Amino acid sequence: MGYLLLAGAIAAEVAATTAMKYSEGFSRLWPSLVTASGYLVSFALLAQTLKSVQIGTAYAIWSGVGTAAIAVLGLLLFGEGLSPTKVAGIVLIIGGVVVLNLGGAAH
């Protein structure tokens, strides 16, 4: 159940960060509200996740997967470039998450 909550926390964080881009510096109401509510939901779900998943593992997955997802969304939605360095960074993030899980993510 912890990892399901963590997936929800990641999805909410990614939605909030994407909405922040659309908020144009918090000058647009609805994207700004989505940003604020998305981060609240994300932190609430992350807090629940920490009841069953180690903090280091949960935070690494939450931040790493969120960062990789935002990098991909930047490419797809906002036309940001994808350099070999950015690809390498995303691969390293995914590799780090895999290694953390192989090292024993549960209590």
Side-chain angles (χ1 to χ4, degrees):
M1 185 64 167
Y3 285 100
L4 185 60
L5 291 169
L6 184 57
I10 293 166
E13 188 267 334
V14 169
T17 302
T18 304
M20 189 185 307
K21 174 73 172 172
Y22 287 113
S23 77
E24 296 179 10
F26 296 115
S27 65
R28 298 180 61 215
L29 176 63
W30 292 109
S32 298
L33 292 175
V34 171
T35 299
S37 61
Y39 280 119
L40 284 173
V41 168
S42 181
F43 283 120
L45 291 173
L46 182 59
Q48 293 302 308
T49 298
L50 297 179
K51 291 179 179 180
S52 61
V53 179
Q54 294 177 0
I55 189 169
T57 301
Y59 189 74
I61 293 170
W62 180 77
S63 61
V65 172
T67 300
I70 288 298
V72 170
L73 286 174
L75 173 73
L76 298 175
L77 297 178
F78 305 112
E80 295 178 358
L82 187 63
S83 67
T85 305
K86 194 178 275 190
V87 171
I90 292 170
V91 168
L92 287 170
I93 290 169
I94 293 168
V97 168
V98 169
V99 169
L100 280 169
N101 280 301
L102 291 174
H107 283 24

